[in-house]
Amino acid sequence: GTAAARTFAPVTGKADYPLTIPFEDLAMRVEEAKELGYMVLVLASNCPVMETYFSYQMSVMVDCKQILGEVFIHKSKSTEVAQAECRAALMKALDSHNFCKPLHIRMANTAFDWSSFCHAGFPPEVFSGSRWSVEEASARELIDEQHRAILEEYPERFKDFYTVITSSFDLEEAGK
């Protein structure tokens, strides 16, 4: 059999968000938001297949639920160590063998206070979509001069870096 072609309205600006989409449109909509220079937030409404989907993506993950458990609940890791690990993940996403990968911020079913957790090595600008640049990453010493030169020569490589935040919450739960 043949599948019917799906049609969708393209997003033209921030006024079009938030979107409620079927799972099969997720990859296309993430790409669309990335191309518009937006930070990507996926609220899964407790849909477990979303977690599985992102676990198979070529991204570098920061697991907020794990950080909460280790730093704030079990106190098995200091905030500074967790921040250093976040910096290392960011650096890996920015330079993965001279290419970039998405940075996946996995919230799962938690709320995480990034405003107090961000620091010089993991700046809040990472979440600002189009305002995060090669120059900003270089100025913060998150990439070296050699990689900066590569990204300036091949700017399409930097377009593969973007931040995607995933949460199992729905829109109402996330707004609390």
Side-chain angles (χ1 to χ4, degrees):
T2 59
R6 291 176 49 95
T7 59
F8 65 94
V11 171
T12 57
K14 288 188 179 184
D16 294 329
Y17 288 100
L19 299 174
T20 300
I21 61 168
F23 175 75
E24 56 269 13
D25 289 354
L26 180 60
M28 175 195 57
R29 293 300 190 167
V30 167
E31 184 65 25
E32 185 176 65
K34 179 186 89 162
E35 290 298 319
L36 289 169
Y38 299 159
M39 191 268 317
V40 179
L41 171 63
V42 178
L43 300 174
S45 300
N46 297 307
C47 175
V49 74
M50 187 274 306
E51 287 273 338
T52 304
Y53 171 82
F54 279 101
S55 73
Y56 282 96
Q57 299 307 297
M58 296 290 294
S59 62
V60 178
M61 185 174 64
V62 173
D63 191 330
C64 297
K65 188 170 186 170
Q66 181 179 351
I67 293 169
L68 279 172
E70 293 174 346
V71 175
F72 301 106
I73 297 170
H74 302 295
K75 301 192 185 312
S76 61
K77 187 180 287 184
S78 70
T79 299
E80 294 76 20
V81 169
Q83 287 174 324
E85 290 173 356
C86 287
R87 175 185 170 86
L90 175 58
M91 291 175 74
K92 184 177 178 182
L94 288 166
D95 187 357
S96 184
H97 305 287
N98 294 324
F99 290 88
C100 295
K101 292 181 176 181
L103 182 67
H104 174 198
I105 307 294
R106 180 182 176 267
M107 301 290 286
N109 61 347
T110 64
F112 192 85
D113 183 9
W114 276 104
S115 63
S116 67
F117 196 78
C118 285
H119 62 291
F122 196 98
E125 289 84 1
V126 168
F127 298 101
S128 67
S130 61
R131 292 183 301 199
W132 184 246
S133 65
V134 172
E135 295 75 22
E136 186 74 25
S138 178
R140 293 180 178 273
E141 299 179 350
L142 294 166
I143 58 173
D144 61 26
E145 286 302 314
Q146 178 184 1
H147 190 54
R148 178 186 174 143
I150 290 169
L151 294 176
E152 287 174 344
E153 184 175 351
Y154 303 100
E156 68 280 358
R157 291 185 183 186
F158 190 71
K159 291 179 182 177
D160 289 334
F161 176 84
Y162 59 95
T163 302
V164 59
I165 300 173
T166 62
S167 170
S168 60
F169 291 159
D170 61 24
L171 187 57
E172 183 180 327
E173 291 169 319
K176 291 180 183 177

